[in-house]
Amino acid sequence: MKNKFLIVLLSIVILCLSACSPLAPEDVGEPGGEVLHTLYICGAVETDGYFQIASGNDYFFAINQAVLLPQGVYPDYVYRIVDGQIATVIVPFHVDGVKYDSINVNGMFVLARLPVDGVDEQVINALADYIEQNGKISNRNEMKLALGNFYNDNYYKFYVSEGDYEID
């Protein structure tokens, strides 16, 4: 009985220790001692994807690496220092001065064809139709195929989640 208890206790300790790490996986040390944080930036930016941002920079700097679109709106935490706590930045957008959150192109709102503030029903239907026929959208090139003539006026309203993202 004592041995079973020790084995169970030891197993729990090993599991707990194996889940811990001194640095988050996105933190990378540079030869000069500088720590780089990998951020996934998407939404109302010119170039979505992964960006290496050095410690000490803020999210304003990070978002400007992805180039904020004219329709983009900086998130509330824009002047917070990049420290590895936020790994994904989804940049919202505005239409006629009204701020909206960018929508996951493969998310429930699109798949269930639910109404989305700031987005026309035809756009949601075009995306949902494409996903039903071709599977998940993994980058802006696929989003362009899905949206066709609607692309230029709508692509910044959507983002590809990090889990679905693949480089164009």
Side-chain angles (χ1 to χ4, degrees):
M1 185 71 158
K2 230 177 164 179
N3 287 340
K4 287 183 182 179
F5 176 75
L6 283 173
I7 291 173
V8 170
L9 183 63
L10 185 59
S11 298
I12 292 171
V13 170
I14 290 172
L15 286 173
C16 289
L17 291 176
S18 65
C20 300
S21 66
L23 288 178
E26 67 274 358
D27 297 342
V28 180
E30 283 291 292
E34 186 175 63
V35 175
L36 296 177
H37 301 281
T38 301
L39 297 180
Y40 178 68
I41 304 174
C42 56
V45 292
E46 188 174 301
T47 306
D48 55 356
Y50 293 98
F51 294 85
Q52 294 285 318
I53 307 298
S55 284
N57 287 301
D58 57 18
Y59 288 93
F60 179 83
F61 174 84
I63 291 167
N64 285 317
Q65 299 307 298
V67 185
L68 184 75
L69 291 170
Q71 303 89 340
V73 178
Y74 289 105
D76 294 337
Y77 56 86
V78 70
Y79 295 112
R80 181 175 167 184
I81 299 298
V82 175
D83 59 4
Q85 297 298 309
I86 299 173
T88 300
V89 177
I90 302 169
V91 178
F93 66 95
H94 71 87
V95 175
D96 298 327
V98 178
K99 179 182 170 184
Y100 300 99
D101 290 328
S102 294
I103 303 299
N104 180 350
V105 72
N106 297 306
M108 180 184 78
F109 284 102
V110 173
L111 297 177
R113 300 172 190 260
L114 298 173
V116 175
D117 290 337
V119 181
D120 190 73
E121 182 180 351
Q122 289 178 303
V123 173
I124 297 293
N125 287 332
L127 292 168
D129 290 344
Y130 181 90
I131 292 168
E132 284 175 4
Q133 294 172 7
N134 302 291
K136 289 184 176 183
I137 294 173
S138 60
N139 55 48
R140 290 241 176 113
N141 282 336
E142 290 179 7
M143 194 183 308
K144 189 172 190 170
L145 291 172
L147 289 174
N149 292 334
F150 298 121
Y151 180 79
N152 288 335
D153 293 330
N154 292 282
Y155 73 94
Y156 57 88
K157 299 174 182 179
F158 299 91
Y159 69 91
V160 175
S161 69
E162 184 177 6
D164 294 334
Y165 178 73
E166 293 178 13
I167 297 174
D168 297 355

